[in-house]
Amino acid sequence: MENEQLDLTGIFGEDVFDERTMQQRLPKKAYEALKNTIENGTELDPATADTIAHEMKEWAMERGATHYTHWFQPLTGVTAEKHDSFITAPKEDGTILMRLSGKELIKGEPDASSFPSGGLRATFEARGYTIWDSASPAFVRHDEGGATLCIPTAFCSYTGEALDQKTPLLRSMEAIDRESIRLLRLLGNKTSKRVTPYVGAEQEYFIIDRANYLKRMDLIFTGRTLFGAMPPKGQELDDHYFGTLRPRIASFMHDVNVELWKLGVPAKTQHNEVAPAQHELAPIYEKVNVAVDHNQLIMQTLKRVATRHGLRCLLHEKPFEGVNGSGKHNNWSLMTDDGINLLDPGKTPHENIQFLLVLTCILKAVDTHADLLCESASDVGNDRRLGGNEAPPAIISVFLGEQLEDVIEQLVSTGQVNRSKSGGKLATGVSYLNDISKDATDRNRTSPFAFTGNKFEFRMVGSRDSIAAPNVVLNTIVAEAFREAADVIEAAGPEKRQEAVHDLIRQYASDHQRIIFNGNGYSPSWVTEAKRRGLPIISSMVDAIPALTTDRAVKLFETFGVFTKKELTSRMEVKYETYSKDINIEARTMLELASKQLIPAIIACMKRLAESAVAVEQCGIPATVQEERLKELNTCLSEARTAMKRLEQETLAAEKNPAGRTQAVMFRDRVVPAMDELRRPIDRAEMIVDKDLWPVPSYADLMFEV
């Protein structure tokens, strides 16, 4: 295999029932009917659905598939699937037929009461439906269980509420498409027929040795280390970032790429990230519904391939204290069906009226709904990540860079824009190196929402999370801004339309200039400045959740048909419950790990030290060192025991509260501090206890042994 030539063009998409495959296998009439369904929303007739299902089944069986599944994304944070074989009822002679009907392709019926629903479904109301998302291609997944035809679907309750991540996303895509086309028509565009959000989601992750992973109860149960002292070397030298890939990691990444390419995922970039054992994978941009599905496939593939290599992939936002955590940078743009990027400023953005209107509408959307954007990226793990050196602070602001900031300032101060700053040339000072054109602006890694040339990069999203939620919010809030702008332009009439557009650009730039911040987001002075500007500062998931059900949010989502108030309330309840459960599991794991493994190790070391002290003193030598270490460990042990009692009490008290905000607040304000209190003395003790007595792999073992 080492020298085998990989035919990337040959394998890419070979396990995907994509447009190329459909054109080859479907009758022309069926293919055109399916395209019409995807593009215009027309319903497939039963006969055509049967034809498509039959060809999909035949294609899948050629790839070894014996089963199919409706592949959906409930509110658990991971995907779900129920497998059915293609076998139909045996005939009288004992033979069987292999079949997939149009009805089975389009509709599935999983149990809806056992998934998180926030009260939308009770145990006695179990019926739910999965509905084929024909705009996201079906694929065959090969794993240890064989080959399975996976059919991407939406997931709704019997009464029609969305129980998943996909359904609201598709609704939001229709909303922004409708409002974008309306705005473009008013700006004179008569040719574009559709506007689609495109997304590229960078995926950060850690890779550790699987044998070490299996020795850590905290990693198994919670995905992060609940105890662990920092090794002498962490990421201080920045030598891991973009460093040469170690052989074991390179082999793992190669296999990940091959699997993803076969599934049609355009994996493009791979490299070492800043922290030891941390890495990143980034795909090329795709339509947002496909990008959401592909990001789930990326996470699943990373985990599965890691296991085959004797490794373990950690997707938690903060698996190790003291080094960078992992995020998922959501790069978002708007593209027309005829290839126009609405976020491309061109060479002279001050003359690009369409771009300036789109840009200032986005500024308005982000400023108006900063709380919703923050909530869309809120996560239990992100509470420990945001604001660190690798992540933006929990204050929503927009980085535009020098060029666009100058344009905005001209608009606000004079109402006219006469120039755009250019990037110029970069001279290296080396004669044989070409001078290169610089971008018109630098980058800002501390900004949560940064303009990066022809897209916005939303950097707050957590590494484990689906990218559906942030894109639902982005699509919907921008659709609202576009609609309000279109209303004003239409009301002005054809004669004053150009003047109305210019007035809107200036008004939006002026009214929402406070959201623009190009400085250092890590600076303590930024918090003070953000407060002065009136920007929301939301530092925890628990405080972010209420944004879902404000009157403004309910009006926004109901106006565009993305969420009903009932659906928003259910999601709020799911998030509070998820937060409480996650922290409860962490607290219980800490208590068990401390009492069964770590404290006994401390006691064993103290016994060894005491025995050593006696032996040394019998030789007439003072046991000063042993006594000092014994004293330190005794202090750690005493503090740990006190902290354990407090954590037990706080956890029990929080558990007694009914699920909801009150319980979540109690876990955050009382249980989390008690967990941190228990960690401190045990981490100190780890630095004293003999290596052979410490029962779990250290940070050095975990981060430097691959």
Side-chain angles (χ1 to χ4, degrees):
M1 288 294 292
E2 275 186 31
N3 299 317
E4 184 179 333
Q5 182 67 37
L6 185 65
D7 180 12
L8 178 54
T9 58
I11 68 170
F12 189 84
E14 69 176 27
D15 287 330
V16 186
F17 197 70
D18 54 17
E19 187 166 340
R20 174 187 56 181
T21 304
M22 290 190 289
Q23 279 184 307
Q24 294 171 352
R25 303 194 66 119
L26 295 178
K28 184 177 180 181
K29 185 178 179 181
Y31 171 75
E32 290 178 348
L34 180 56
K35 288 287 289 181
N36 197 31
T37 295
I38 295 170
E39 294 175 1
N40 302 310
T42 56
E43 191 169 334
L44 283 175
D45 64 85
T48 302
D50 280 337
T51 300
I52 295 168
H54 173 75
E55 290 300 328
M56 190 183 291
K57 181 264 300 182
E58 291 291 302
W59 167 83
M61 288 182 62
E62 290 170 12
R63 276 149 187 78
T66 57
H67 289 69
Y68 72 93
T69 182
H70 275 198
W71 188 74
F72 59 102
Q73 299 172 35
L75 301 179
T76 56
V78 294
T79 58
E81 50 196 66
K82 173 174 71 76
H83 296 194
D84 289 293
S85 72
F86 294 124
I87 296 175
T88 61
K91 296 180 180 180
E92 291 184 4
D93 63 0
T95 60
I96 57 171
L97 291 175
M98 306 292 275
R99 185 170 183 268
L100 176 66
S101 69
K103 182 179 179 181
E104 291 169 325
L105 169 64
I106 291 172
K107 186 181 82 169
E109 193 174 320
D111 175 7
S113 66
S114 296
F115 290 104
S117 69
L120 289 177
R121 296 272 83 189
T123 304
F124 69 94
E125 297 173 314
R127 195 180 298 278
Y129 297 112
T130 49
I131 306 98
W132 177 35
D133 174 15
S134 56
S136 187
F139 56 92
V140 170
R141 186 186 63 214
H142 299 270
D143 56 27
E144 290 69 20
T148 305
L149 171 63
C150 298
I151 303 166
T153 61
F155 178 42
C156 297
S157 74
Y158 178 73
T159 46
E161 293 92 359
L163 296 176
D164 65 341
Q165 305 277 15
K166 174 67 76 70
T167 304
L169 180 71
L170 298 177
R171 295 170 181 171
S172 73
M173 290 175 68
E174 292 194 352
I176 198 165
D177 173 35
R178 185 171 58 249
E179 300 306 327
S180 297
I181 289 296
R182 181 184 171 209
L183 191 63
L184 289 179
R185 292 288 182 266
L186 291 170
L187 294 174
N189 182 327
K190 306 298 182 186
T191 56
S192 300
K193 297 178 181 177
R194 189 178 308 104
V195 174
T196 304
Y198 273 68
V199 166
E202 306 165 34
Q203 179 68 57
E204 295 175 340
Y205 60 94
F206 281 81
I207 290 291
I208 63 173
D209 187 87
R210 188 166 182 268
N212 282 333
Y213 166 83
L214 293 174
K215 295 174 184 175
R216 296 274 320 207
M217 182 191 304
D218 47 2
L219 285 175
I220 292 171
F221 290 149
T222 73
R224 76 179 184 97
T225 53
L226 301 174
F227 299 100
M230 276 297 294
K233 179 181 181 293
Q235 63 187 54
E236 300 87 350
L237 298 179
D238 297 321
D239 53 334
H240 188 260
Y241 193 42
F242 281 23
T244 302
L245 298 177
R246 296 179 183 178
R248 199 172 174 191
I249 293 297
S251 175
F252 157 76
M253 287 183 172
H254 172 271
D255 288 357
V256 166
N257 284 330
V258 171
E259 288 213 13
L260 291 176
W261 290 334
K262 288 180 179 180
L263 292 169
V265 179
K268 174 74 172 176
T269 302
Q270 61 186 32
H271 61 84
N272 289 345
E273 255 297 336
V274 174
Q278 189 184 29
H279 312 280
E280 181 177 300
L281 182 155
I284 297 172
Y285 299 87
E286 302 177 280
K287 293 180 179 179
V288 64
N289 60 315
V290 177
V292 167
D293 288 353
H294 280 177
N295 184 252
Q296 292 289 343
L297 283 176
I298 286 171
M299 291 190 287
Q300 292 173 359
T301 303
L302 287 170
K303 290 179 178 179
R304 190 170 63 251
V305 175
T307 299
R308 289 209 303 262
H309 282 255
L311 302 167
R312 182 69 185 186
C313 175
L314 303 179
L315 291 173
H316 193 284
E317 286 76 19
K318 198 72 173 178
F320 301 104
E321 289 296 322
V323 299
N324 279 14
S326 296
K328 184 156 16 195
H329 303 159
N330 187 87
N331 295 279
W332 179 88
S333 62
L334 294 171
M335 293 286 296
T336 68
D337 59 313
D338 50 354
I340 301 170
N341 183 350
L342 301 188
L343 290 175
D344 185 356
K347 294 183 178 179
T348 54
H350 67 284
E351 298 174 341
N352 190 338
I353 298 302
Q354 177 178 290
F355 168 75
L356 290 177
L357 181 58
V358 169
L359 175 67
T360 52
C361 280
I362 292 173
L363 291 178
K364 176 186 178 182
V366 173
D367 189 20
T368 304
H369 297 289
D371 57 342
L372 276 177
L373 262 183
C374 192
E375 192 286 324
S376 74
S378 65
D379 176 86
V380 182
N382 246 0
D383 278 7
R384 292 188 175 272
R385 166 182 166 259
L386 292 179
N389 289 339
E390 78 285 2
I395 306 170
I396 297 291
S397 64
V398 177
F399 169 79
L400 292 182
E402 292 179 9
Q403 184 188 57
L404 293 183
E405 186 179 40
D406 178 60
V407 169
I408 294 296
E409 287 177 352
Q410 290 178 63
L411 278 169
V412 172
S413 60
T414 68
Q416 300 292 326
V417 189
N418 301 313
R419 67 184 186 279
S420 295
K421 291 183 177 180
S422 62
K425 293 284 186 180
L426 176 67
T428 63
V430 180
S431 59
Y432 65 85
L433 292 182
N434 289 344
D435 292 344
I436 60 172
S437 298
K438 293 199 301 182
D439 291 305
T441 185
D442 204 344
R443 293 183 63 194
N444 188 331
R445 291 173 58 83
T446 72
S447 174
F449 198 74
F451 185 76
T452 54
N454 60 2
K455 55 184 171 56
F456 276 101
E457 182 183 22
F458 186 33
R459 296 173 58 86
M460 289 178 69
V461 185
S463 51
R464 287 179 299 178
D465 288 348
S466 167
I467 58 171
N471 286 296
V472 167
V473 171
L474 273 172
N475 295 344
T476 311
I477 65 177
V478 174
E480 179 189 60
F482 284 177
R483 172 182 283 191
E484 291 174 353
D487 287 345
V488 173
I489 296 168
E490 279 183 353
E495 300 81 9
K496 295 187 175 181
R497 184 167 295 170
Q498 187 174 358
E499 182 182 343
V501 170
H502 281 83
D503 288 347
L504 268 182
I505 293 172
R506 184 182 184 187
Q507 178 191 336
Y508 288 172
S510 177
D511 291 351
H512 303 285
Q513 193 177 16
R514 69 171 187 167
I515 200 70
I516 301 170
F517 179 65
N518 287 350
N520 181 7
Y522 297 156
S523 170
S525 63
W526 168 228
V527 177
T528 304
E529 172 63 15
K531 290 178 180 177
R532 187 192 67 78
R533 295 186 185 191
L535 300 179
I537 301 174
I538 306 171
S539 57
S540 78
M541 177 182 176
V542 175
D543 288 338
I545 294 170
L548 284 171
T549 53
T550 63
D551 291 343
R552 184 172 60 194
V554 172
K555 181 182 178 182
L556 167 76
F557 288 121
E558 287 193 335
T559 297
F560 291 95
V562 175
F563 286 118
T564 64
K565 184 175 182 179
K566 191 175 181 181
E567 288 170 331
L568 289 168
T569 302
S570 73
R571 276 162 167 73
M572 177 186 71
E573 295 300 331
V574 167
K575 291 206 165 192
Y576 281 135
E577 188 174 2
T578 298
Y579 182 89
S580 295
K581 286 181 176 179
D582 278 5
I583 299 300
N584 194 32
I585 291 169
E586 288 188 354
R588 290 290 173 189
T589 303
M590 281 194 89
L591 290 168
E592 185 166 345
L593 181 54
S595 63
K596 292 185 177 180
Q597 291 184 275
L598 304 184
I599 286 180
I602 296 171
I603 294 171
C605 187
M606 292 175 70
K607 181 181 177 182
R608 179 183 288 182
L609 285 169
E611 292 171 349
S612 173
V614 171
V616 166
E617 287 175 344
Q618 286 176 348
C619 297
I621 303 171
T624 307
V625 173
Q626 290 89 334
E627 290 171 358
E628 287 179 355
R629 293 181 70 190
L630 267 169
K631 185 177 180 180
E632 289 179 55
L633 282 180
N634 190 54
T635 300
C636 291
L637 186 63
S638 176
E639 290 178 6
R641 185 58 191 149
T642 300
M644 279 187 67
K645 289 179 179 178
R646 181 192 168 197
L647 181 56
E648 287 173 344
Q649 293 168 354
E650 298 291 7
T651 302
L652 283 171
E655 287 173 346
K656 291 177 181 177
N657 280 272
R661 178 169 176 79
T662 301
Q663 186 183 58
V665 168
M666 197 165 183
F667 271 107
R668 181 195 63 187
D669 292 348
R670 298 178 65 172
V671 176
V672 169
M675 290 168 58
D676 294 340
E677 184 181 327
L678 174 57
R679 177 170 185 155
R680 283 190 290 270
I682 290 185
D683 284 358
R684 287 205 315 274
E686 183 185 351
M687 301 300 293
I688 304 169
V689 172
D690 296 348
K691 174 72 173 175
D692 65 306
L693 291 178
W694 199 249
V696 298
S698 68
Y699 269 22
D701 299 329
L702 293 168
M703 292 193 289
F704 291 96
E705 279 200 6
V706 176

